[in-house]
């Protein structure tokens, strides 16, 4: 087994802690798409009271209904992306350290036990770092897609509101 120095252990720990901090930053930034989703739902309610679905054969009404349906699909897809990003945070944890060092007490002398525990600690930090790195990349990508989809949903709703005066006029 190669010698794991305190420098190796400190370096592995620093990488792990920085990735854990990044993880919490990504998790905190999920509140932005969640807030935008709630705003979009409110905008849907405003639009729904203005549209008469019985006039669905008229072009403006049909256009509003299509834009609304596309917006709702984008909104649901955005909510799915947020949910899956959060799912990764909850179910993407590194192994427990206690499970890794149970057999360290049975090793030979004090020095070899200490070297063994230091190696296990460095390895566990490395494993946790790599899991967080992978999970953070996926979660950041999902958060970005959630924002893109909610912006698409809001844009489609804005277009529906632009068509709304033509619907009211009965064209």
């Amino acid at each position: 087994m190669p010698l794991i120095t305190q420098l190796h252990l400190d370096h592995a720990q620093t990488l792990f802690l920085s990735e854990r901090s990044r993880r919490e930053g990504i998790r905190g930034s999920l509140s932005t798409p969640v807030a935008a989703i709630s705003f979009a739902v409110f905008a849907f309610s405003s639009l729904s009271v203005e549209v008469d679905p019985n006039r669905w054969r008229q072009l403006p009404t049909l256009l509003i209904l299509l834009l609304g349906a596309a917006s709702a699909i984008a909104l649901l897809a955005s909510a799915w992306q947020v949910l899956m990003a959060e799912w990764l945070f909850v179910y993407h944890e590194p192994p427990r350290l206690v499970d890794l060092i149970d057999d360290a007490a049975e090793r030979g002398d004090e020095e070899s036990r200490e070297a063994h525990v230091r190696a296990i600690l460095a390895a566990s930090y490395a494993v946790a770092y790599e899991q967080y790195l992978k999970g953070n990349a996926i979660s950041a990508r999902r958060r970005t897609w959630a924002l893109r989809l909610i912006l698409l949903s809001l844009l489609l709703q804005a277009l529906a509101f632009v068509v709304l005066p033509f619907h009211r006029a009965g064209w």
Side-chain angles (χ1 to χ4, degrees), residues 54-145:
N54 293 327
R55 298 187 337 196
W56 68 272
R57 289 189 177 110
Q58 295 175 350
L59 182 62
T61 307
L62 185 59
L63 190 56
I64 289 172
L65 293 175
L66 289 174
L67 288 168
S71 178
I73 291 169
L75 185 65
L76 291 173
S78 177
W80 176 256
Q81 292 294 329
V82 170
L83 178 69
M84 293 312 296
E86 183 64 26
W87 185 273
L88 269 176
F89 291 131
V90 174
Y91 294 104
H92 203 259
E93 289 294 325
R96 290 175 5 135
L97 187 57
V98 175
D99 297 336
L100 296 174
I101 61 173
D102 280 344
D103 68 334
E106 299 170 6
R107 298 229 174 236
D109 63 354
E110 182 70 28
E111 188 174 312
S112 66
R113 281 195 304 256
E114 184 178 329
H116 179 70
V117 169
R118 188 171 38 247
I120 288 175
L121 284 172
S124 70
Y125 278 131
V127 167
Y129 163 74
E130 289 191 19
Q131 284 185 336
Y132 279 180
L133 183 66
K134 180 182 175 185
N136 287 346
I138 294 168
S139 292
R141 194 171 30 254
R142 288 190 177 278
R143 178 202 55 207
T144 301
W145 271 106

Side-chain angles (χ1 to χ4, degrees), residues 141-162:
R141 194 171 30 254
R142 288 190 177 278
R143 178 202 55 207
T144 301
W145 271 106
L147 286 170
R148 289 175 182 162
L149 289 166
I150 194 65
L151 289 175
L152 175 63
S153 176
L154 291 171
L155 176 66
L156 292 170
Q157 286 183 39
L159 290 174
F161 275 106
V162 167

